[in-house]
Amino acid sequence: MVVDTIKESLRVNKRVATKKEIIFVEGDVIVPDAKPDILSVICTSGVVCIYKKEIIDEKVKIEGKIDTCIMYMTDDNNERVRGINTSLDLSETIHVSNITSEMESNITANIKEIEAKVMNERKLSVKATIELTVEVFSKEEISIVNSLQNTEQIKMLQEELMVNSLVGSGETKIYAKDNISIDTIDNLVEILKLDVNICNKDVKISYNKVLTKAEAEVKIIYLTEDNRINKAISKIPIIGFIDISDVTEGNSCDTDYEIRNVIVNSNSVEEHSVYIEMEIGVRTTVYEEKNINVIQDLYSPSENIEFNKRTIRTIAERKEVTDTKEIKENIMIEDLNGRSIVDVDIVPVLIKQSKEPNRIMYNGELQLKFMLMGEDLQIVTKRQNIPFEYTIDNVIDGENLNVNTNVEIMNQDFIIQENGEVLVNVQMKMNSIMDRNVNINTIDEIQTNGEREEQDYSIIMYIVKKDDTLWNIAKRFGSTIDDIVRVNGIEDPDSIYPGQKLFIPRYKRSGVSSNQTSMINYA
């Protein structure tokens, strides 16, 4: 006879696969007829734009482009520095096992290195090294048995768990645009370098709606008509709404930003400014903290019971930890005398993660690339790395946590001092998302298979073994925890020990059958 059960639902966002892959994007660039010949390349920068992604069975297909700015020295004494803006097509297929077209993906693309080499005075070869991080998810709703109806003779082992249940996910497309002012004395000839970074990310949740807020920090290095090099920095607001049913203020979010297109032009309407427009895709996944009561095991001293047993793996104790890390250090740069700092590229890199019971530790470095210019307008680049350490303290069971930490540059300052050293002052935002994988042992398809044959009641003596619990002992011998505690005068049912002698009131046969199924992993 089938046992009536009471169930509750748990929505999981199953992480099917995570894969990191290094890809290379290459292409040749021809110098336009209107520009002078190339003597040497000063620097190359780029912005990755992914405008299409598609999951095919066991494959993730990505299409996009890399908008590049190449700054170079010319062989013309009247025009020492010029720039070329171009795009490289990006098309890549990544093989990922066990994924299907119904699943969803998050893709992060970071430029690890980009360089342009001179082939001849009119031709360049550009190569970009891109790190792709692909995460594939499958949504599923699981029913968990948390209670039985009209079953006084069935003993249940129950556990109360706090888990993170999926509320929903959604995405939107945001167009961010602005006019970036340059110095009023400057007449812009061309843009030599462009950097775009998404920073100051935040979310606000109200009923059925998620407000996403961030800023696009845009840095432009440009050439003027009188052959000077100058810089303009601006932050453009990125604000969007995503409708998701049943979200409330107490929920938490994972939010990803994806640059899909960038347009930069000299402004023909507003003088002394540069017009920039960006298309940005924003995706958010919302979780609620849910307290569930789970039946992990059961038996009956008087009836034969059959059931299926399985283990579900999901996430729990999800939280976000935000902190700041400041690096203030004097460094020496070779051949700095008489040169000024035009620009500094900063790439924070986390090299190593170590886990201890009460803390998470990181070893990383700031990779700095200085662009320096002398009085003769010659530009050189110098690299310098500054190591740093970062620790997250007061972590409970840190060894078993999943931790994903992202680093964002908040403020930066570089001052050339009288002794020739450069004072570096960089403030970083450390954002860590933590969760824990938990196994939920649950049962279903419970049915009784008739009463036991008439049985004689008896008491046996049992010697406790390692890893024994009163539940396991009672189930094994068809007894009950209450009876064992009563007969043996046990004060604390959780404190039995190997070698302890227990008297077990029992029936002669336990008559319990369970069918163990394979573990199912959810995240």
Side-chain angles (χ1 to χ4, degrees):
M1 181 179 68
V2 175
V3 176
D4 291 332
T5 60
I6 299 173
K7 298 181 179 181
E8 65 178 309
S9 63
L10 176 66
R11 298 185 68 196
V12 295
N13 200 24
K14 181 181 178 182
R15 183 181 283 106
V16 180
T18 300
K19 188 171 185 179
K20 286 193 175 183
E21 192 158 310
I22 300 294
I23 66 170
F24 302 97
V25 181
E26 300 179 69
D28 292 337
V29 178
I30 304 299
V31 179
D33 293 339
K35 295 183 183 291
D37 289 347
I38 298 172
L39 183 64
S40 62
V41 174
I42 298 170
C43 71
T44 307
S45 61
V47 177
V48 182
C49 302
I50 296 177
Y51 47 76
K52 184 179 179 181
K53 54 185 179 182
E54 181 182 11
I55 297 181
I56 310 169
D57 288 351
E58 304 217 332
K59 295 177 183 177
V60 178
K61 188 175 182 181
I62 301 167
E63 293 184 9
K65 63 177 181 174
I66 304 174
D67 291 327
T68 63
C69 294
I70 304 167
M71 188 188 309
Y72 70 94
M73 297 295 298
T74 76
D75 63 358
D76 187 337
N77 290 329
N78 295 321
E79 296 181 292
R80 297 300 296 163
V81 178
R82 293 300 301 267
I84 300 173
N85 301 325
T86 187
S87 293
L88 302 177
D89 291 331
L90 188 162
S91 180
E92 191 72 23
T93 299
I94 300 174
H95 293 270
V96 183
S97 300
N98 303 318
I99 66 172
T100 62
S101 57
E102 294 80 19
M103 297 178 182
E104 298 177 351
S105 65
N106 288 338
I107 297 172
T108 304
N110 294 313
I111 296 178
K112 301 285 287 184
E113 188 72 34
I114 184 168
E115 61 178 353
K117 292 185 177 181
V118 179
M119 307 299 289
N120 57 53
E121 66 275 7
R122 306 299 297 173
K123 183 178 180 181
L124 293 165
S125 175
V126 182
K127 181 178 180 180
T129 304
I130 310 294
E131 182 183 65
L132 289 176
T133 302
V134 179
E135 293 183 297
V136 182
F137 298 89
S138 175
K139 299 176 184 177
E140 192 166 350
E141 187 158 336
I142 307 299
S143 293
I144 295 176
V145 176
N146 63 7
S147 185
L148 307 181
Q149 292 182 328
N150 303 321
T151 53
E152 294 179 359
Q153 297 301 315
I154 297 180
K155 304 300 178 181
M156 295 180 292
L157 179 64
Q158 293 179 291
E159 183 177 5
E160 194 173 273
L161 296 172
M162 189 71 74
V163 298
N164 294 102
S165 179
L166 176 68
V167 177
S169 61
E171 58 184 308
T172 189
K173 185 189 298 182
I174 301 173
Y175 289 94
K177 58 185 73 175
D178 200 3
N179 293 312
I180 300 176
S181 298
I182 64 175
D183 286 352
T184 55
I185 63 171
D186 292 345
N187 292 314
L188 186 144
V189 173
E190 63 187 8
I191 294 171
L192 302 175
K193 190 173 184 289
L194 171 68
D195 291 316
V196 180
N197 292 300
I198 308 297
C199 61
N200 298 327
K201 303 170 187 175
D202 191 19
V203 294
K204 301 292 183 184
I205 302 176
S206 60
Y207 184 66
N208 289 339
K209 205 174 287 288
V210 177
L211 169 63
T212 64
K213 300 169 64 178
E215 291 180 316
E217 185 178 64
V218 181
K219 180 172 64 177
I220 296 171
I221 297 177
Y222 59 91
L223 180 68
T224 68
E225 283 185 351
D226 53 354
N227 284 322
R228 289 181 297 105
I229 295 174
N230 209 341
K231 179 167 60 176
I233 299 175
S234 182
K235 290 183 178 179
I236 303 174
I238 304 170
I239 301 175
F241 289 93
I242 301 175
D243 293 324
I244 301 176
S245 299
D246 301 324
V247 301
T248 62
E249 291 183 3
N251 298 149
S252 60
C253 293
D254 287 341
T255 305
D256 299 294
Y257 293 79
E258 189 175 83
I259 298 174
R260 295 177 180 171
N261 196 24
V262 179
I263 299 172
V264 182
N265 291 313
S266 299
N267 198 330
S268 58
V269 178
E270 186 176 327
E271 194 175 6
H272 301 294
S273 69
V274 176
Y275 174 77
I276 183 164
E277 179 180 322
M278 288 174 286
E279 178 189 334
I280 299 168
V282 184
R283 178 177 177 79
T284 189
T285 303
V286 183
Y287 297 92
E288 68 171 325
E289 198 170 58
K290 192 170 186 178
N291 192 3
I292 61 172
N293 191 29
V294 183
I295 299 176
Q296 296 190 318
D297 199 7
L298 54 81
Y299 73 95
S300 172
S302 60
E303 294 180 283
N304 297 317
I305 299 178
E306 295 179 353
F307 56 86
N308 286 333
K309 189 173 183 179
R310 61 175 177 168
T311 300
I312 299 170
R313 179 168 292 172
T314 186
I315 62 172
E317 301 176 34
R318 184 193 178 278
K319 66 177 181 178
E320 189 170 353
V321 177
T322 300
D323 198 2
T324 57
K325 170 73 177 179
E326 187 172 8
I327 295 178
K328 194 170 185 178
E329 189 168 327
N330 288 315
I331 61 172
M332 289 293 299
I333 299 179
E334 187 180 354
D335 299 329
L336 180 60
N337 292 339
R339 300 182 187 274
S340 61
I341 299 174
V342 177
D343 186 41
V344 184
D345 285 336
I346 307 177
V347 180
V349 179
L350 297 177
I351 299 171
K352 182 182 177 182
Q353 180 192 80
S354 302
K355 296 180 180 180
E356 292 186 357
N358 298 313
R359 60 179 178 172
I360 311 292
M361 298 170 293
Y362 290 95
N363 294 99
E365 64 180 14
L366 278 185
Q367 298 177 352
L368 307 176
K369 184 179 179 181
F370 290 84
M371 184 186 299
L372 308 171
M373 182 170 62
E375 294 179 357
D376 57 358
L377 300 184
Q378 290 280 352
I379 294 179
V380 297
T381 57
K382 299 289 183 180
R383 295 179 182 268
Q384 195 88 9
N385 294 341
I386 300 177
F388 68 86
E389 295 179 348
Y390 172 65
T391 301
I392 306 173
D393 290 313
N394 302 318
V395 175
I396 300 175
D397 194 16
E399 293 170 310
N400 297 315
L401 280 176
N402 304 312
V403 184
N404 183 22
T405 298
N406 293 311
V407 186
E408 177 187 311
I409 302 298
M410 298 177 65
N411 297 299
Q412 54 182 289
D413 194 20
F414 302 91
I415 302 173
I416 300 177
Q417 302 182 96
E418 292 181 357
N419 62 0
E421 292 183 335
V422 175
L423 174 60
V424 177
N425 194 348
V426 176
Q427 188 179 49
M428 301 181 290
K429 180 180 179 181
M430 318 295 289
N431 189 65
S432 302
I433 295 178
M434 306 180 188
D435 61 51
R436 194 185 312 280
N437 292 330
V438 295
N439 292 332
I440 302 176
N441 297 317
T442 185
I443 61 177
D444 57 17
E445 299 182 19
I446 307 165
Q447 56 184 340
T448 58
N449 191 17
E451 295 183 357
R452 300 175 182 277
E453 299 175 2
E454 189 172 338
Q455 301 161 2
D456 295 329
Y457 192 75
S458 66
I459 292 181
I460 67 164
M461 188 185 74
Y462 177 75
I463 299 176
V464 177
K465 299 179 177 57
K466 183 181 178 182
D467 298 326
D468 273 346
T469 64
L470 284 187
W471 171 269
N472 293 337
I473 295 170
K475 179 179 178 180
R476 177 178 176 182
F477 293 108
S479 185
T480 69
I481 294 176
D482 290 342
D483 285 345
I484 297 173
V485 168
R486 177 177 51 79
V487 168
N488 292 275
I490 297 174
E491 294 183 0
D492 184 358
D494 295 325
S495 296
I496 61 174
Y497 53 89
Q500 183 178 3
K501 295 179 181 179
L502 296 178
F503 293 101
I504 312 296
R506 65 151 192 164
Y507 292 97
K508 286 187 176 178
R509 53 188 290 268
S510 62
V512 178
S513 173
S514 69
N515 301 315
Q516 185 79 29
T517 61
S518 60
M519 179 179 287
I520 303 172
N521 299 325
Y522 293 103

